[in-house]
Amino acid sequence: MPYPASELILNPDGSIYHLKLLPEEVADTVIVVGDPDRVGMISQFFDRIEIKKQHREFVTHTGSIGKKRLTVVSSGIGSDNVEIVMTELDAVRNIDLKRREPLPSLNPLKIIRIGTSGSLQYDIPVGSVVASSSGVGLDGLLDFYDTDESRWYPEFCQELKDVLQLRLQPYAVDGSQTLLDGFTTRLIPNVFAGITLTCPGFYAPQGRSLRLAPKILNSIDTLNQFNWNGNRITNFEMETAAYYLFGKMLGHEMLSLSAIVANRVSNEFAPAPEQVVQKLIRDTLDWLI
């Protein structure tokens, strides 16, 4: 049965609702970023740009470097926006938008997130990069989807829940091992593979306190010291676990790369954070092409 108009929402030109994209406008390899301004920071290296579209915080450029075709999409901040981006990228890839029916076979995307993050370990310094082997979500998205959260590291998630005294249930999902190996074996300096914690906010969820006090006291120290079977949490940010969750559920390859612009244990912040991001962009493009 076709998806009804209220569920699969399309624009008058037949494009998907939020991203305003048509199937032919999305390349096989997609780079996702949070900041809309970073889309242009990446597409400036394209030899040719085919498509430029914008709707709210969702900016898309599709083009090519040599023979490699790439799409760059911004999500804005947070896992709720990731849900929109991943669902709609999948829709233009795996649904016949004219017939409103699923395509007969899966057309997986290769999706790489380039973002910023704070380190939770002394030995992962400002200016380095974390390639996330797994993402751990504190955002609650999994509760709204029909999937069994217990199949992904239930003991790890329960221990983290207990240590942080959370009411919500964390979830943990692996990224693409193929993409992780492909990036980390290029011997780029100061690249760490590790577990990334995805928080549902920037202030109290990440241990910051301005006029409102956080409920979880000393969370930075707790996360720095957390260890499960020899596995530590390397960094935290606001999107990775959601990307990994939807990549896993929808069948897309997903890797999150985080430029470390702050070390929350040593209280350092990068004096020129955009330079750290720019280096990660160049290293990622060199790898992809």
Side-chain angles (χ1 to χ4, degrees):
M1 178 178 291
Y3 296 109
S6 61
E7 309 305 301
L8 175 60
I9 305 172
L10 302 177
N11 297 305
D13 64 354
S15 62
I16 197 71
Y17 184 56
H18 293 91
L19 300 185
K20 288 193 170 182
L21 293 174
L22 295 164
E24 63 271 19
E25 296 173 338
V26 179
D28 294 342
T29 300
V30 179
I31 298 173
V32 289
V33 295
D35 184 351
D37 289 341
R38 286 195 185 128
V39 175
M41 288 174 61
I42 296 173
S43 68
Q44 68 176 318
F45 296 105
F46 289 4
D47 298 324
R48 182 170 66 95
I49 297 177
E50 307 166 22
I51 300 295
K52 285 188 176 183
K53 289 194 171 181
Q54 179 172 359
H55 181 218
R56 301 183 186 177
E57 62 266 58
F58 307 109
V59 177
T60 301
H61 293 180
T62 293
S64 56
I65 303 175
K67 295 182 178 180
K68 181 67 176 181
R69 192 166 183 253
L70 297 165
T71 293
V72 189
V73 181
S74 65
S75 66
I77 296 175
S79 58
D80 51 345
N81 283 5
V82 171
E83 187 226 25
I84 292 171
V85 169
M86 288 294 284
T87 300
E88 294 195 358
L89 283 175
D90 179 76
V92 300
R93 193 74 174 179
N94 290 299
I95 294 175
D96 184 325
L97 299 184
K98 293 180 180 178
R99 295 168 58 91
R100 295 180 169 273
E101 295 176 349
L103 294 174
S105 59
L106 180 67
N107 297 291
L109 291 165
K110 182 186 297 183
I111 304 172
I112 295 91
R113 171 191 174 269
I114 296 177
T116 57
S117 182
S119 170
L120 288 165
Q121 303 296 332
Y122 278 111
D123 63 324
I124 301 178
V126 167
S128 61
V129 171
V130 170
S132 302
S133 57
S134 305
V136 179
L138 304 181
D139 50 61
L141 268 177
L142 191 59
D143 289 345
F144 293 90
Y145 284 88
D146 185 16
T147 189
D148 180 8
E149 64 189 74
S150 67
R151 62 181 165 169
W152 298 314
Y153 305 106
E155 295 88 358
F156 175 98
C157 292
Q158 186 60 50
E159 186 167 336
L160 182 63
K161 178 180 180 179
D162 293 343
V163 165
L164 293 177
Q165 299 181 5
L166 299 171
R167 290 190 291 266
L168 59 84
Q169 181 65 44
Y171 63 88
V173 190
D174 288 337
S176 165
Q177 190 65 47
T178 300
L179 293 180
L180 179 67
D181 291 344
F183 186 80
T184 56
T185 56
R186 291 184 61 84
L187 301 179
I188 299 168
N190 292 320
V191 173
F192 299 82
I195 299 172
T196 297
L197 184 68
T198 294
C199 301
F202 185 76
Y203 289 96
Q206 295 187 33
R208 292 182 174 93
S209 176
L210 297 181
R211 291 187 62 239
L212 295 175
K215 182 177 185 295
I216 304 170
L217 302 178
N218 303 315
S219 62
I220 302 299
D221 290 341
T222 301
L223 292 170
N224 167 256
Q225 296 166 22
F226 182 82
N227 189 292
W228 179 78
N229 291 348
N231 296 289
R232 62 181 184 168
I233 298 173
T234 52
N235 62 310
F236 59 5
E237 42 72 87
M238 295 178 64
E239 288 94 29
T240 293
Y243 274 120
Y244 282 14
L245 175 64
F246 283 90
K248 183 76 71 176
M249 292 193 299
L250 292 169
H252 302 290
E253 284 192 89
M254 182 75 225
L255 178 65
S256 177
L257 302 173
S258 296
I260 300 300
V261 298
N263 187 301
R264 296 300 303 284
V265 184
S266 63
N267 292 318
E268 296 174 81
F269 192 83
E274 286 306 312
Q275 291 181 14
V276 183
V277 175
Q278 287 169 0
K279 183 180 185 306
L280 177 55
I281 288 171
R282 291 192 296 270
D283 288 339
T284 303
L285 291 175
D286 288 345
W287 165 53
L288 290 174
I289 62 175

